[in-house]
Amino acid sequence: WICDQQYAIINFEAILVAICERNAMSDNALFPKGAALVVGASGGIGGKVAEILGRDGSDLALVYNRKADAAQAVATKVATHTSLHRCDVTDPAAIATLIETAVAEHGRIHTLVWAAGPLVDQLYLAETPLEKWRKAFEVEVHGFFALVTALIPHMRQHGGGSIVHLGSAGHLRWPDRDGLSVAPKASN
Protein backbone atom coordinates (compact mmCIF):
# COMPACT_ATOMS: atom_id res chain seq x y z
CA TRP A 1 0.00 0.00 0.00
CA ILE A 2 1.20 3.45 -0.83
CA CYS A 3 -0.42 6.48 0.74
CA ASP A 4 0.98 9.80 -0.47
CA GLN A 5 -0.96 12.44 1.42
CA GLN A 6 0.92 15.41 -0.01
CA TYR A 7 -1.31 16.34 -2.93
CA ALA A 8 0.64 19.42 -4.02
CA ILE A 9 4.07 17.82 -3.59
CA ILE A 10 3.68 14.63 -5.60
CA ASN A 11 6.72 12.97 -7.09
CA PHE A 12 5.14 10.89 -9.86
CA GLU A 13 8.37 9.04 -10.58
CA ALA A 14 8.66 7.97 -6.93
CA ILE A 15 5.08 6.69 -7.05
CA LEU A 16 5.91 4.62 -10.11
CA VAL A 17 9.02 3.17 -8.49
CA ALA A 18 7.00 2.18 -5.43
CA ILE A 19 4.29 0.59 -7.59
CA CYS A 20 6.90 -1.35 -9.54
CA GLU A 21 8.58 -2.58 -6.37
CA ARG A 22 5.23 -3.69 -4.90
CA ASN A 23 3.91 -5.47 -7.98
CA ALA A 24 5.26 -8.81 -9.13
CA MET A 25 7.49 -8.23 -12.14
CA SER A 26 7.91 -10.52 -15.12
CA ASP A 27 9.79 -10.37 -18.40
CA ASN A 28 11.65 -7.23 -17.24
CA ALA A 29 8.41 -5.26 -17.55
CA LEU A 30 7.72 -2.38 -15.17
CA PHE A 31 4.16 -3.64 -14.66
CA PRO A 32 2.53 -7.04 -14.57
CA LYS A 33 -0.14 -7.94 -17.09
CA GLY A 34 -3.34 -6.05 -16.54
CA ALA A 35 -4.10 -2.40 -16.03
CA ALA A 36 -3.79 0.48 -13.64
CA LEU A 37 -7.26 1.71 -12.69
CA VAL A 38 -6.94 5.50 -12.48
CA VAL A 39 -9.97 7.07 -10.78
CA GLY A 40 -10.12 10.77 -11.52
CA ALA A 41 -8.25 10.39 -14.80
CA SER A 42 -10.21 13.31 -16.25
CA GLY A 43 -8.59 15.71 -13.78
CA GLY A 44 -5.21 17.37 -13.98
CA ILE A 45 -3.30 15.24 -11.47
CA GLY A 46 -5.09 11.97 -12.28
CA GLY A 47 -4.58 12.59 -15.98
CA LYS A 48 -0.86 13.25 -15.55
CA VAL A 49 -0.41 10.13 -13.40
CA ALA A 50 -2.21 8.11 -16.10
CA GLU A 51 0.06 9.55 -18.79
CA ILE A 52 3.17 8.57 -16.83
CA LEU A 53 1.87 5.08 -16.11
CA GLY A 54 1.02 4.65 -19.80
CA ARG A 55 4.36 6.06 -20.91
CA ASP A 56 6.11 3.54 -18.72
CA GLY A 57 4.15 0.63 -20.17
CA SER A 58 1.07 0.05 -18.04
CA ASP A 59 -2.25 -0.57 -19.70
CA LEU A 60 -4.87 1.82 -18.34
CA ALA A 61 -8.49 1.75 -17.24
CA LEU A 62 -9.32 5.47 -17.03
CA VAL A 63 -12.23 6.37 -14.79
CA TYR A 64 -14.21 9.59 -14.92
CA ASN A 65 -17.58 10.73 -13.63
CA ARG A 66 -18.59 13.74 -15.73
CA LYS A 67 -15.71 14.72 -18.02
CA ALA A 68 -15.57 12.04 -20.72
CA ASP A 69 -13.80 14.37 -23.15
CA ALA A 70 -10.99 15.03 -20.68
CA ALA A 71 -10.53 11.29 -20.04
CA GLN A 72 -10.51 10.63 -23.79
CA ALA A 73 -7.85 13.30 -24.23
CA VAL A 74 -5.65 11.47 -21.72
CA ALA A 75 -6.24 8.18 -23.54
CA THR A 76 -4.99 9.68 -26.81
CA LYS A 77 -1.66 10.61 -25.18
CA VAL A 78 -0.59 7.04 -24.38
CA ALA A 79 0.34 4.13 -26.62
CA THR A 80 -0.70 1.34 -24.25
CA HIS A 81 -4.09 -0.40 -24.30
CA THR A 82 -6.52 2.01 -22.67
CA SER A 83 -10.20 1.76 -21.80
CA LEU A 84 -12.57 4.47 -20.54
CA HIS A 85 -15.11 3.92 -17.77
CA ARG A 86 -17.72 6.23 -16.33
CA CYS A 87 -18.37 5.60 -12.66
CA ASP A 88 -20.21 7.35 -9.87
CA VAL A 89 -18.18 6.09 -6.91
CA THR A 90 -21.08 6.81 -4.55
CA ASP A 91 -23.01 3.95 -6.21
CA PRO A 92 -21.91 0.43 -5.16
CA ALA A 93 -23.54 -1.11 -8.26
CA ALA A 94 -21.56 1.26 -10.49
CA ILE A 95 -18.36 0.28 -8.67
CA ALA A 96 -19.10 -3.42 -9.21
CA THR A 97 -19.75 -2.75 -12.91
CA LEU A 98 -16.53 -0.72 -13.16
CA ILE A 99 -14.42 -3.54 -11.76
CA GLU A 100 -16.20 -6.16 -13.87
CA THR A 101 -15.77 -4.24 -17.13
CA ALA A 102 -12.17 -3.20 -16.44
CA VAL A 103 -11.21 -6.79 -15.61
CA ALA A 104 -13.05 -8.07 -18.71
CA GLU A 105 -11.14 -5.55 -20.84
CA HIS A 106 -7.68 -5.99 -19.27
CA GLY A 107 -7.72 -9.35 -17.47
CA ARG A 108 -6.48 -7.87 -14.22
CA ILE A 109 -6.23 -4.65 -12.23
CA HIS A 110 -2.75 -4.45 -10.74
CA THR A 111 -2.92 -0.87 -9.45
CA LEU A 112 -5.57 1.51 -8.19
CA VAL A 113 -4.73 5.20 -8.29
CA TRP A 114 -7.31 7.35 -6.48
CA ALA A 115 -7.13 10.92 -7.76
CA ALA A 116 -10.86 11.59 -7.61
CA GLY A 117 -12.68 14.29 -5.79
CA PRO A 118 -15.27 16.86 -6.65
CA LEU A 119 -14.24 20.44 -7.07
CA VAL A 120 -15.45 22.01 -3.87
CA ASP A 121 -16.35 25.52 -2.92
CA GLN A 122 -13.73 27.36 -0.92
CA LEU A 123 -15.75 28.23 2.18
CA TYR A 124 -15.01 28.87 5.81
CA LEU A 125 -16.24 25.90 7.84
CA ALA A 126 -18.79 28.07 9.62
CA GLU A 127 -20.27 28.91 6.19
CA THR A 128 -20.21 25.34 4.83
CA PRO A 129 -23.67 23.85 4.29
CA LEU A 130 -24.06 20.35 5.67
CA GLU A 131 -25.12 19.03 2.23
CA LYS A 132 -21.80 20.09 0.67
CA TRP A 133 -19.87 18.57 3.60
CA ARG A 134 -21.74 15.28 3.20
CA LYS A 135 -21.22 15.21 -0.58
CA ALA A 136 -17.45 15.68 -0.20
CA PHE A 137 -17.27 12.83 2.31
CA GLU A 138 -19.59 10.61 0.27
CA VAL A 139 -17.28 10.79 -2.75
CA GLU A 140 -13.82 11.06 -1.23
CA VAL A 141 -14.19 8.88 1.86
CA HIS A 142 -17.06 6.47 1.31
CA GLY A 143 -16.45 6.19 -2.45
CA PHE A 144 -12.77 5.43 -1.91
CA PHE A 145 -13.58 2.88 0.81
CA ALA A 146 -16.26 1.20 -1.32
CA LEU A 147 -13.94 0.90 -4.32
CA VAL A 148 -11.01 -0.41 -2.29
CA THR A 149 -13.09 -3.01 -0.46
CA ALA A 150 -14.64 -4.16 -3.73
CA LEU A 151 -11.24 -4.35 -5.45
CA ILE A 152 -9.15 -6.05 -2.75
CA PRO A 153 -10.59 -9.56 -3.35
CA HIS A 154 -9.62 -9.29 -7.03
CA MET A 155 -6.11 -8.11 -6.14
CA ARG A 156 -5.67 -10.91 -3.59
CA GLN A 157 -6.84 -13.49 -6.13
CA HIS A 158 -4.16 -12.26 -8.55
CA GLY A 159 -1.26 -12.08 -6.11
CA GLY A 160 -1.63 -8.54 -4.83
CA GLY A 161 -1.48 -5.05 -6.21
CA SER A 162 -0.91 -1.44 -5.31
CA ILE A 163 -3.31 1.19 -4.01
CA VAL A 164 -2.24 4.82 -4.31
CA HIS A 165 -4.31 7.57 -2.70
CA LEU A 166 -3.44 11.13 -3.67
CA GLY A 167 -4.38 13.28 -0.72
CA SER A 168 -3.87 16.89 0.22
CA ALA A 169 -1.10 19.27 1.21
CA GLY A 170 -3.61 20.40 3.82
CA HIS A 171 -2.28 17.65 6.06
CA LEU A 172 0.70 19.89 6.62
CA ARG A 173 -1.23 23.15 6.88
CA TRP A 174 -4.97 23.62 6.61
CA PRO A 175 -5.42 26.48 4.14
CA ASP A 176 -8.15 29.01 4.87
CA ARG A 177 -11.49 28.01 3.34
CA ASP A 178 -10.24 24.57 2.26
CA GLY A 179 -12.11 22.38 4.73
CA LEU A 180 -14.24 20.70 2.05
CA SER A 181 -11.08 19.53 0.33
CA VAL A 182 -8.78 18.73 3.24
CA ALA A 183 -11.12 17.07 5.75
CA PRO A 184 -12.28 14.19 3.51
CA LYS A 185 -8.71 13.44 2.38
CA ALA A 186 -7.53 13.43 5.99
CA SER A 187 -10.10 10.71 6.67
CA ASN A 188 -8.36 8.40 4.21
Side-chain angles (χ1 to χ4, degrees), residues 94-108:
I95 289 172
T97 299
L98 167 65
I99 293 170
E100 181 181 315
T101 58
V103 169
E105 180 80 19
H106 299 279
R108 175 183 178 203

Side-chain angles (χ1 to χ4, degrees), residues 13-181:
E13 300 299 329
I15 290 172
L16 288 175
V17 167
I19 290 169
C20 294
E21 289 173 355
R22 172 65 181 94
N23 286 328
M25 301 303 143
S26 62
D27 303 322
N28 295 322
L30 285 177
F31 299 96
K33 293 192 185 304
L37 183 72
V38 183
V39 181
S42 59
I45 292 175
K48 184 53 77 175
V49 169
E51 286 178 35
I52 292 169
L53 290 167
R55 178 198 72 199
D56 287 350
S58 180
D59 288 347
L60 301 170
L62 304 179
V63 183
Y64 66 93
N65 185 23
R66 294 178 309 275
K67 299 186 292 184
D69 292 346
Q72 180 61 51
V74 172
T76 62
K77 294 179 182 178
V78 297
T80 56
H81 177 65
T82 302
S83 60
L84 296 174
H85 307 269
R86 185 193 175 282
C87 184
D88 175 354
V89 296
T90 65
D91 179 359
I95 289 172
T97 299
L98 167 65
I99 293 170
E100 181 181 315
T101 58
V103 169
E105 180 80 19
H106 299 279
R108 175 183 178 203
I109 298 170
H110 58 70
T111 303
L112 165 64
V113 176
W114 180 271
L119 290 176
V120 294
D121 295 329
Q122 300 291 298
L123 302 169
Y124 291 109
L125 287 178
E127 299 169 1
T128 302
L130 185 58
E131 323 67 77
K132 289 183 184 242
W133 182 263
R134 285 187 172 144
K135 175 68 174 175
F137 273 81
E138 189 63 28
V139 171
E140 296 189 55
V141 177
H142 303 140
F144 174 70
F145 179 78
L147 181 55
V148 167
T149 57
L151 187 57
I152 284 175
H154 168 80
M155 287 183 161
R156 284 184 175 153
Q157 181 182 10
H158 294 280
S162 295
I163 298 174
V164 180
H165 179 277
L166 303 176
S168 172
H171 297 293
L172 303 175
R173 178 190 167 277
W174 189 307
D176 293 341
R177 298 181 303 164
D178 204 24
L180 283 177
S181 177

